[in-house]
């Protein structure tokens, strides 16, 4: 009986480990925590201090203030937790960005609540947050920014509040998915039109004054000018998104797709100066994309990261086998395994320099060192041993770090499998291909390269299946179709 319970517990533990991998979040320094906490306090003060201005102030009013203050402080804490849950690698700069937007909105409400429509205050920041941090964070931000109005509450029409929540939820949902700046522009036109029509329906047509008011923008309650102001603020926000991207290290879908453009100067250079590496890059992008789709990871991130993983090879393309084109191998002439290992490590170091020079976002630059992790340069280590050099294995390992995310881990596995799959016989069976893939992946697992990536056993199984599917596609492409004896039309 005891044995059965122990076995069941073990099975349950294994199942849980394979289903719910633990996430490593980035550590935030104490000084950053202090700054974030102070901003949260400031938000709570701004949102509640008016309750203390009531005179005469009695004990019930004080407790009412304390309650509101604590409520908003807890809400901002929840917002930070939600954003950390959605983006485990969120940096303190990005957390500060979210809560500073909240602070700015609360302060704007305090100053302009009676003159500017709440739509223009809450919807545009929701768009930026959904683009940079994801839909769930944006929805959490919207709910806190909408419900915590500076007290005593400035009267908002119930219907307007409903429209505000509906529009900002739509923006948060679509903003997290939108993949191009053109779609963002469309959103900034259709949302104000939608808000205008819904305000006409729910609030009343009598509040449309069109251009007969002098204080056109600051005419709160005028449906047309409110919607126009919303469109203008949204358009300006879209203009500023690239600036937010570079200051706060946000990585929007639109930015990822821009970087994935093969006409990008660095990628063009790779295709011209290191065509073999470029071909290898395209193939591993195919493998990695399929695997990421299988496990539900970030496809745009891996496609772009994969494209830049070996840009460092541009520093000396002909030192890498895929670019040698049958010509002499400079490593043979060098005949020094230690120096050869240094050249290999240089493709990572130089790659990081290229990333800095081209201002690649950190999440993309991470693919450069992490795709090699601390893997051993087996070929040169073997050569050193043959030469009886008394040298530590350490000099023949990449400097790391090992993959810190699922995406960089998948890229490492794809990088390892690419050459082996390409070299496989066209007549090889699926089982043989699967065996090769499993062997390569197991070697990396055993070497401890995947231990920080949070890939579960189930996910590794799916990755193997995905690689096999891509290999089957490649094999199909390589099969020559029989030519028809007579060139009849088909
Ligand atoms: Fe590499
Ligand atoms: Fe590579």
């Amino acid at each position: 009986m005891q044995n059965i319970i122990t076995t069941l517990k073990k099975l349950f533990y294994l199942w849980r480990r394979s289903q719910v991998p633990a996430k490593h979040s980035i550590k935030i320094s104490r000084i950053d925590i202090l700054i974030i906490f102070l901003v949260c306090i400031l938000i709570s003060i701004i949102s509640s201090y008016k309750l203390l201005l009531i005179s005469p102030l009695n004990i019930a009013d004080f407790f009412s203030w304390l309650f509101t203050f604590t409520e908003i402080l807890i809400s901002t804490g929840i917002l930070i937790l939600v954003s950390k849950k959605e983006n485990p690698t969120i940096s303190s700069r990005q957390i500060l960005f979210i809560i500073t937007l909240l602070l700015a909105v609360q302060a704007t409400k305090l100053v302009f609540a009676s003159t500017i429509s709440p739509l223009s205050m809450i919807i545009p920041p929701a768009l930026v947050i959904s683009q940079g941090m994801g839909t769930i964070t944006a929805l959490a931000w919207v709910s806190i920014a909408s419900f915590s109005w500076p007290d005593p509450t400035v009267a908002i029409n119930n219907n307007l509040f409903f429209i505000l929540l509906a529009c900002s939820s739509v923006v948060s949902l679509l903003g997290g998915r939108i993949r191009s700046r053109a779609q963002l522009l469309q959103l900034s036109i259709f949302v104000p039109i939608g808000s205008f029509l819904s305000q006409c329906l729910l609030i009343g047509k009598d509040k449309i004054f069109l251009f007969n008011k002098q204080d056109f923008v600051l005419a709160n309650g005028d449906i047309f000018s409110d919607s126009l102001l919303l469109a203008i603020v949204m358009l300006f926000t879209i203009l500023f998104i690239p600036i937010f991207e570079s200051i706060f290290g946000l990585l929007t879908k639109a930015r990822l797709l821009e970087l994935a453009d093969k006409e990008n100067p660095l990628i063009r250079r790779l295709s011209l100066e290191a065509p073999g590496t470029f071909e290898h890059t395209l193939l591993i992008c195919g493998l990695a994309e399929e695997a990421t789709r299988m496990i539900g990871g970030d496809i745009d991130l891996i496609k772009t990261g994969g494209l830049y993983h070996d840009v460092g090879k541009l520093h000396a393309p002909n030192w890498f086998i895929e670019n040698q084109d049958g010509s002499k191998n400079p490593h043979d002439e060098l005949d020094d395994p230690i120096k050869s290992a240094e050249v290999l490590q240089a493709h990572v170091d130089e790659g990081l320099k290229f990333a800095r020079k081209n201002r690649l976002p950190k999440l993309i630059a991470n693919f450069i060192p992490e795709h090699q992790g601390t893997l051993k340069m087996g070929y040169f280590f073997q050569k050193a041993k043959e030469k009886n050099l008394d040298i530590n294995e350490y000099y023949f390992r990449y400097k790391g770090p090992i993959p810190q995310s699922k995406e960089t881990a998948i890229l490492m596995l794809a990088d390892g499998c690419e050459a082996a799959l390409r070299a496989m016989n066209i007549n090889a069976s699926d089982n043989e291909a699967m065996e090769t893939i499993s062997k390569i992946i197991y070697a990396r697992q055993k070497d401890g390269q995947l231990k920080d990536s949070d890939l579960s056993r189930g996910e590794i199984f799916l990755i193997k299946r995905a690689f096999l599917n891509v290999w089957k596609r490649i094999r199909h492409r390589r099969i020559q179709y029989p030519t028809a004896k007579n060139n009849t039309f088909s």
Side-chain angles (χ1 to χ4, degrees):
M1 189 64 189
Q2 194 68 29
N3 277 350
I4 294 170
I5 292 171
T6 323
T7 318
L8 280 176
K9 269 187 183 169
K10 230 179 194 174
L11 278 174
F12 179 67
Y13 169 75
L14 284 174
W15 176 79
R16 231 180 45 180
R17 242 191 77 78
S18 70
Q19 298 303 309
V20 198
K23 292 228 169 193
H24 297 282
S25 52
I26 283 198
K27 283 220 162 84
I28 297 174
S29 69
R30 280 188 185 173
I31 184 82
D32 286 343
I33 292 175
L34 183 72
I35 295 170
I36 290 167
F37 183 67
L38 287 176
V39 178
C40 291
I41 295 270
L42 204 59
I43 293 170
S44 309
I45 292 173
I46 284 184
S47 311
S48 63
Y49 84 97
K50 279 200 171 176
L51 285 172
L52 284 178
L53 299 180
I54 301 165
S55 65
L57 187 74
N58 58 34
I59 193 86
D61 293 331
F62 178 77
F63 276 110
S64 161
W65 167 80
L66 194 64
F67 179 76
T68 314
F69 179 88
T70 320
E71 185 188 49
I72 293 163
L73 195 61
I74 292 172
S75 306
T76 44
I78 291 172
L79 173 65
I80 294 169
L81 285 180
V82 169
S83 60
K84 277 195 84 170
K85 188 83 191 151
E86 194 178 14
N87 308 278
T89 55
I90 194 169
S91 65
S92 47
R93 250 189 317 167
Q94 289 161 345
I95 294 177
L96 261 174
F97 172 63
I98 301 170
I99 56 168
T100 309
L101 275 180
L102 190 61
L103 177 70
V105 168
Q106 294 302 90
T108 317
K109 280 178 195 170
L110 208 63
V111 183
F112 297 110
S114 53
T115 46
I116 292 184
S117 153
L119 296 171
S120 317
M121 286 189 247
I122 290 174
I123 297 176
L127 180 67
V128 187
I129 295 172
S130 63
Q131 272 276 294
M133 317 300 307
T135 296
I136 298 169
T137 310
L139 284 173
W141 187 92
V142 162
S143 52
I144 293 167
S146 315
F147 286 104
S148 63
W149 214 260
D151 281 306
T153 314
V154 180
I156 309 178
N157 185 318
N158 271 348
N159 288 333
L160 182 63
F161 192 68
F162 171 74
I163 294 167
L164 168 67
L165 281 184
C167 287
S168 41
S169 302
V170 167
V171 165
S172 305
L173 285 170
L174 294 178
R177 292 169 183 215
I178 277 180
R179 303 177 71 205
S180 73
R181 311 252 186 230
Q183 285 175 322
L184 276 179
L185 281 174
Q186 285 170 359
L187 195 69
S188 73
I189 293 165
F190 289 121
V191 168
I193 291 175
S195 86
F196 174 72
L197 294 176
S198 43
Q199 283 183 85
C200 281
L201 279 173
L202 295 174
I203 299 173
K205 294 183 188 103
D206 54 317
K207 293 209 170 177
I208 310 168
F209 303 121
L210 289 175
F211 293 100
N212 60 359
K213 273 214 160 195
Q214 281 205 326
D215 50 350
F216 180 66
V217 165
L218 298 178
N220 189 23
D222 174 354
I223 296 172
F224 182 77
S225 64
D226 280 358
S227 305
L228 188 67
L229 179 66
L230 173 63
I232 294 169
V233 179
M234 280 184 85
L235 282 170
F236 268 99
T237 309
I238 291 167
L239 275 179
F240 280 105
I241 284 180
I243 298 171
F244 293 138
E245 280 167 356
S246 66
I247 296 177
F248 296 100
L250 302 179
L251 191 54
T252 61
K253 295 263 179 214
R255 175 97 179 105
L256 272 180
L257 289 185
E258 278 168 10
L259 287 169
D261 184 1
K262 297 198 180 62
E263 287 305 308
N264 225 302
L266 195 57
I267 302 300
R268 276 295 292 155
R269 236 188 101 187
L270 191 71
S271 70
L272 293 172
E273 293 175 29
T277 304
F278 182 65
E279 273 306 311
H280 152 82
T281 300
L282 294 185
L283 203 73
I284 81 156
C285 279
L287 286 167
E289 187 187 335
E290 185 76 17
T292 312
R293 186 170 286 118
M294 277 266 205
I295 65 153
D298 192 336
I299 294 169
D300 293 319
L301 176 68
I302 201 154
K303 257 164 57 181
T304 315
L307 217 48
Y308 289 89
H309 84 285
D310 267 344
V311 281
K313 287 185 180 173
L314 273 173
H315 84 286
N318 60 328
W319 285 78
F320 296 90
I321 188 117
E322 66 266 24
N323 298 315
Q324 280 163 6
D325 208 14
S327 55
K328 268 188 181 173
N329 186 347
H331 289 286
D332 292 340
E333 280 173 30
L334 183 69
D335 199 26
D336 183 345
I338 300 172
K339 287 232 164 76
S340 289
E342 282 170 9
V343 174
L344 256 60
Q345 172 60 41
H347 98 276
V348 171
D349 302 336
E350 294 296 319
L352 286 171
K353 279 186 201 162
F354 275 119
R356 266 194 296 276
K357 237 192 239 167
N358 290 273
R359 298 179 65 83
L360 291 184
K362 193 171 180 303
L363 280 177
I364 299 297
N366 284 347
F367 280 88
I368 296 170
E370 288 177 27
H371 87 274
Q372 296 293 172
T374 53
L375 282 173
K376 191 161 70 180
M377 304 165 197
Y379 178 76
F380 292 117
F381 182 57
Q382 204 56 40
K383 279 225 151 178
K385 277 213 299 203
E386 276 167 21
K387 286 184 153 224
N388 288 325
L389 290 176
D390 183 27
I391 189 124
N392 196 312
E393 191 187 288
Y394 167 82
Y395 295 102
F396 291 91
R397 277 192 180 270
Y398 284 98
K399 289 181 196 156
I402 57 172
Q404 300 295 307
S405 70
K406 290 182 183 186
E407 284 79 8
T408 52
I410 290 175
L411 198 81
M412 171 188 265
L413 301 179
D415 201 38
C417 292
E418 185 266 338
L421 287 180
R422 206 182 343 195
M424 273 196 87
N425 191 315
I426 198 165
N427 297 317
S429 67
D430 290 2
N431 280 347
E432 283 169 317
M434 192 55 157
E435 219 172 274
T436 309
I437 295 167
S438 301
K439 238 189 238 167
I440 294 168
I441 294 182
Y442 179 67
R444 277 149 182 74
Q445 248 180 311
K446 214 175 133 203
D447 199 25
Q449 301 294 325
L450 304 182
K451 66 174 193 274
D452 282 356
S453 68
D454 290 338
L455 279 176
S456 65
R457 285 165 197 227
E459 284 169 334
I460 290 176
F461 173 76
L462 288 174
I463 292 167
K464 287 181 196 168
R465 299 280 337 163
F467 287 176
L468 182 69
N469 290 344
V470 177
W471 177 73
K472 282 201 244 173
R473 270 204 317 254
I474 298 169
R475 185 180 56 178
H476 183 76
R477 244 185 270 149
R478 283 165 59 192
I479 294 171
Q480 282 190 342
Y481 291 114
T483 7
K485 276 182 186 158
N486 47 350
N487 282 333
T488 47
F489 294 103
S490 53

